[in-house]
Amino acid sequence: MLTTLSIKNYALIDTLNVEFKEGFTTITGETGAGKSILLGGLALVLGKRADLSSLKNEEEKCVIEAGFKVGHYNLKGFFEESDLDYEELTLIRREILPGGKSRAFVNDTPVRLDVLSSLGEKLIDIHSQHQTLKLTENEFQFQVIDAVAGNEKHLKEYRKVLKAWTNAVRNLDALTKQQSESIKELDYNQFLLQELEEAGLVPGMLEELESEYEQLNNIESIGEYLVHSSQLLGDERMGVIRNLAELKAVLQKLAAYGSGFKTIAERVHSTHIELDDIYGEIQRKEEELEADPGRLEELHAKLQKIYDLQKKHGVIEIEELIQIREDLGVKVRVTENLGEDIEKAQSLVAKLREEVMVVAEEISDRRSSVIGNLKANMENALKPLGMPDASFDIRLSKSDSFFTNGSDVLEFLFAANKGSAYNELKKVASGGELSRIMLVIKAILAKYMQLPTIMFDEIDTGVSGEVSTRMAAIMQEMSKTMQVFTITHLPQVAARGNTQFKVYKEVEGETTRSNIRELAQEERVIEIAEMLGGKDISDSARRHAVELLDQALGPVE
């Protein structure tokens, strides 16, 4: 509920601070006194866009702050999602700077205007002519029926399974598209994969093949080098090993003359052993050396295949070809397995669609079960509001499609007079009729859900005293479970309020200011008497005003 409102430097308001109470509050005042300004300021703090024309003094900033008790509105989730501090007494502040920019705060945390607007919709419902047009919108009509049918938890479940089904359908479509595209590439990918698999690629393979090929391709030169090396080492007269053996013998004799000579002798001995081993290895290589034209041709073919694959795939390293082979293998396997994946996806889509249908059917049945009573309650409530022959034809039919709120198609038809054909509300109901219908619907909704604070802006315009009395009674009844405001020019309505405020203008020199204040009981008598008979209050007008206020304290008929 709205607890406080303060406005500074807005339109005709210098500074305004007002506190509001629970129940039914009526707001009165002469035409042009500033009631619309009050609504405008409230709209700004609830997220409406602003401009410099909002400022009374364009050199100072405009500040509007409203306090709300939000404990009964289940808004903790909204505050968490919006990264706001939750306070049961929440303060919303809007500042419009002289440069035209504006800032918004919730519990002193800066917020975007869209967040403020979303929060505002949950806190106050300003019932103006524009808002009355919502009555003609199909979405709002569904909200009314679902509230009466108690479909809130069923709709949550429906949207949950609908989202799962939608995601499953989207996944199936993606798999089907992927299969269609993959099939076109499958043959080519299989061909590339076969080429790479036949090459038998392993890490380090290229270096080994190139080394073996170089040896076989140069076998004659290698043989010559081995023979020459063998001769240099093993020649009986001039070979390195023979000479090294003589050197070793000399140094062994020299070792007897000191440890330094002994060390040299040992090193030469080790070198002799190593060279002797090398000589044996060269001889074995020479014996093993054998030309193999067939193997040479095989190596050439393998290397050429690898070089061709490297060129074809635009890579240099053998490891890159191996990675391409693995990637192609994955693509081919995925394509080959897509059929199985699609079958599973189709099965899931069918299963989830059945679940959606079951919940949608439950929602539809609950709607159908309340339409008769809803229709009767609206028609009965409208009779004392000057619409004795008003009737509704609420038609619910099933669709093969799934919408965000079920699978039903709703037609909300209306006839204001006997014998008139039913038609859409926006085509046959006048503005005054729409206002009264909306009042009745809001009164019905108040019995089924926790509505936000509601403010009716001259909803009683153009109706008779008797009808206005009944409209006031409806609003007073609503105020037993919620906070209700109404801006009115009718004394019968003003008297029904638990609290009454007056909006008025003050002229000081060349300056006009708007203000608002709560009326005490005697002030209410005077205000209502003036509404009945004008500024010159007669005794009968005063008595009538007292009677209206006394009646308001009794039970609502």
Side-chain angles (χ1 to χ4, degrees):
M1 61 169 280
L2 176 64
T3 59
T4 59
L5 178 65
S6 65
I7 300 176
K8 179 181 178 182
N9 192 37
Y10 174 72
L12 295 179
I13 298 174
D14 278 338
T15 301
L16 179 151
N17 294 284
V18 60
E19 295 182 2
F20 298 111
K21 301 174 183 176
E22 297 178 352
F24 185 28
T25 298
T26 57
I27 300 175
T28 58
E30 296 179 0
T31 300
K35 296 187 292 295
S36 61
I37 296 174
L38 181 68
L39 282 179
L42 193 56
L44 282 176
V45 84
L46 296 175
K48 179 184 175 184
R49 295 197 174 275
D51 53 46
L52 277 176
S53 63
S54 303
L55 277 62
K56 187 175 191 295
N57 182 346
E58 294 186 1
E59 296 180 359
E60 298 180 7
K61 71 178 179 180
C62 165
V63 180
I64 304 174
E65 186 172 87
F68 294 89
K69 287 183 179 179
V70 299
H72 298 300
Y73 291 151
N74 297 320
L75 291 178
K76 287 185 178 179
F78 177 87
F79 275 72
E80 289 175 2
E81 291 173 7
S82 304
D83 198 23
L84 297 172
D85 293 331
Y86 177 80
E87 300 287 348
E88 289 206 0
L89 180 56
T90 284
L91 294 178
I92 300 177
R93 185 171 78 257
R94 185 81 180 277
E95 299 179 356
I96 304 167
L97 306 179
K101 294 182 179 181
S102 73
R103 300 183 298 183
F105 303 84
V106 175
N107 293 329
D108 287 328
T109 299
V111 296
R112 302 190 312 271
L113 210 55
D114 60 326
V115 174
L116 183 63
S117 180
S118 296
L119 178 59
E121 290 176 358
K122 303 176 191 307
L123 298 177
I124 285 195
D125 175 6
I126 297 180
H127 184 96
S128 60
Q129 183 176 359
H130 173 73
Q131 200 267 357
T132 299
L133 295 177
K134 285 183 63 177
L135 179 59
T136 67
E137 298 173 2
N138 198 245
E139 180 182 357
F140 179 78
Q141 295 165 359
F142 267 116
Q143 290 173 358
V144 172
I145 291 178
D146 285 326
V148 177
N151 267 336
E152 182 179 2
K153 70 175 184 178
H154 299 282
L155 284 168
K156 285 183 179 178
E157 176 64 19
Y158 170 81
R159 292 184 180 113
K160 179 181 176 182
V161 294
L162 178 66
K163 182 179 180 180
W165 174 72
T166 302
N167 290 338
V169 170
R170 189 179 296 117
N171 180 56
L172 176 58
D173 290 342
L175 287 173
T176 304
K177 182 179 179 182
Q178 183 181 352
Q179 184 187 51
S180 176
E181 294 174 350
S182 297
I183 286 175
K184 298 175 185 177
E185 302 176 357
L186 179 60
D187 289 343
Y188 184 58
N189 286 339
Q190 284 176 327
F191 169 73
L192 294 177
L193 178 61
Q194 185 177 356
E195 274 189 327
L196 291 167
E197 287 178 337
E198 288 175 351
L201 305 173
V202 293
M205 172 184 181
L206 183 59
E207 292 79 4
E208 293 177 4
L209 291 175
E210 287 177 334
S211 177
E212 187 181 356
Y213 177 81
E214 284 299 313
Q215 290 184 36
L216 285 174
N217 194 43
N218 296 280
I219 195 165
E220 292 182 1
S221 298
I222 293 172
E224 292 175 0
Y225 296 145
L226 287 172
V227 169
H228 190 198
S229 299
S230 180
Q231 290 173 347
L232 289 172
L233 287 170
D235 185 79
E236 292 183 359
R237 291 181 300 168
M238 300 296 295
V240 174
I241 292 176
R242 179 179 176 79
N243 291 330
L244 195 59
E246 291 181 7
L247 176 62
K248 183 177 74 169
V250 173
L251 289 175
Q252 282 176 343
K253 295 176 182 178
L254 189 61
Y257 295 103
S259 60
F261 299 120
K262 184 179 179 181
T263 300
I264 295 173
E266 289 174 349
R267 291 172 63 188
V268 169
H269 176 69
S270 298
T271 303
H272 180 263
I273 293 173
E274 178 67 17
L275 279 175
D276 193 50
D277 186 64
I278 291 172
Y279 177 57
E281 182 70 18
I282 289 173
Q283 286 182 316
R284 285 192 296 273
K285 293 286 186 183
E286 187 178 349
E287 291 172 0
E288 293 170 358
L289 195 63
E290 182 182 357
D292 190 346
R295 177 60 178 166
L296 183 61
E297 185 177 346
E298 180 185 345
L299 289 171
H300 180 270
K302 283 188 175 182
L303 286 169
Q304 191 59 51
K305 180 66 174 176
I306 292 174
Y307 296 150
D308 290 343
L309 288 171
Q310 287 175 324
K311 182 178 180 181
K312 186 174 190 174
H313 293 283
V315 298
I316 298 174
E317 303 295 334
I318 196 84
E319 286 75 16
E320 293 176 289
L321 284 177
I322 292 172
Q323 185 61 51
I324 291 171
R325 181 186 67 192
E326 292 178 356
D327 292 343
L328 284 169
V330 171
K331 286 184 179 180
V332 169
R333 286 192 298 274
V334 167
T335 302
E336 291 173 342
N337 294 333
L338 273 176
E340 183 179 341
D341 293 341
I342 287 174
E343 287 182 6
K344 292 180 181 178
Q346 288 172 333
S347 176
L348 180 60
V349 167
K351 173 179 174 293
L352 290 173
R353 189 177 193 280
E354 184 65 28
E355 292 182 14
V356 175
M357 289 177 63
V358 169
V359 184
E361 187 72 25
E362 172 69 14
I363 291 171
S364 182
D365 290 344
R366 296 176 69 88
R367 287 168 175 167
S368 297
S369 68
V370 301
I371 283 177
N373 284 337
L374 175 62
K375 175 180 179 299
N377 288 339
M378 288 192 298
E379 290 172 352
N380 290 334
L382 286 172
K383 286 179 181 178
L385 298 183
M387 301 173 67
D389 299 318
S391 64
F392 295 89
D393 184 11
I394 304 174
R395 302 172 185 175
L396 198 68
S397 57
K398 294 178 182 177
S399 168
D400 293 331
S401 300
F402 294 128
F403 309 114
T404 56
N405 62 353
S407 59
D408 291 327
V409 175
L410 176 66
E411 290 184 281
F412 211 95
L413 306 178
F414 174 72
N417 304 298
K418 282 185 178 180
S420 298
Y422 287 105
N423 211 326
E424 296 177 30
L425 276 167
K426 61 184 176 183
K427 294 182 178 179
V428 295
S430 66
E433 288 170 337
L434 284 175
S435 292
R436 280 172 275 176
I437 293 171
M438 181 62 97
L439 173 61
V440 164
I441 287 177
K442 288 291 173 71
I444 292 173
L445 288 178
K447 299 176 182 178
Y448 294 94
M449 58 190 296
Q450 180 64 54
L451 293 177
T453 292
I454 189 168
M455 183 169 289
F456 293 104
D457 182 15
E458 299 186 355
I459 193 174
D460 48 27
T461 299
V463 299
S464 66
E466 183 179 347
V467 171
S468 66
T469 298
R470 184 55 196 166
M471 292 177 74
I474 292 174
M475 289 185 277
Q476 190 177 37
E477 181 68 21
M478 290 173 65
S479 72
K480 292 180 179 179
T481 57
M482 60 185 293
Q483 187 184 37
V484 179
F485 291 85
T486 186
I487 296 173
T488 183
H489 288 292
L490 298 180
Q492 295 89 345
V493 176
R496 285 278 183 164
N498 304 111
T499 310
Q500 183 176 345
F501 285 83
K502 180 176 181 178
V503 179
Y504 58 96
K505 281 184 179 178
E506 297 174 310
V507 179
E508 184 177 330
E510 300 298 320
T511 302
T512 301
R513 299 183 181 87
S514 285
N515 212 331
I516 184 173
R517 62 185 175 87
E518 182 180 351
L519 298 180
Q521 188 66 14
E522 180 57 28
E523 291 175 316
R524 292 188 70 180
V525 172
I526 295 172
E527 174 73 4
I528 292 171
E530 289 182 353
M531 295 171 73
L532 286 165
K535 290 292 185 181
D536 296 327
I537 300 175
S538 64
D539 291 339
S540 62
R542 174 180 283 274
R543 285 194 300 272
H544 192 185
V546 172
E547 289 174 4
L548 288 175
L549 286 167
D550 288 342
Q551 290 172 4
L553 298 177
V556 178
E557 296 297 324

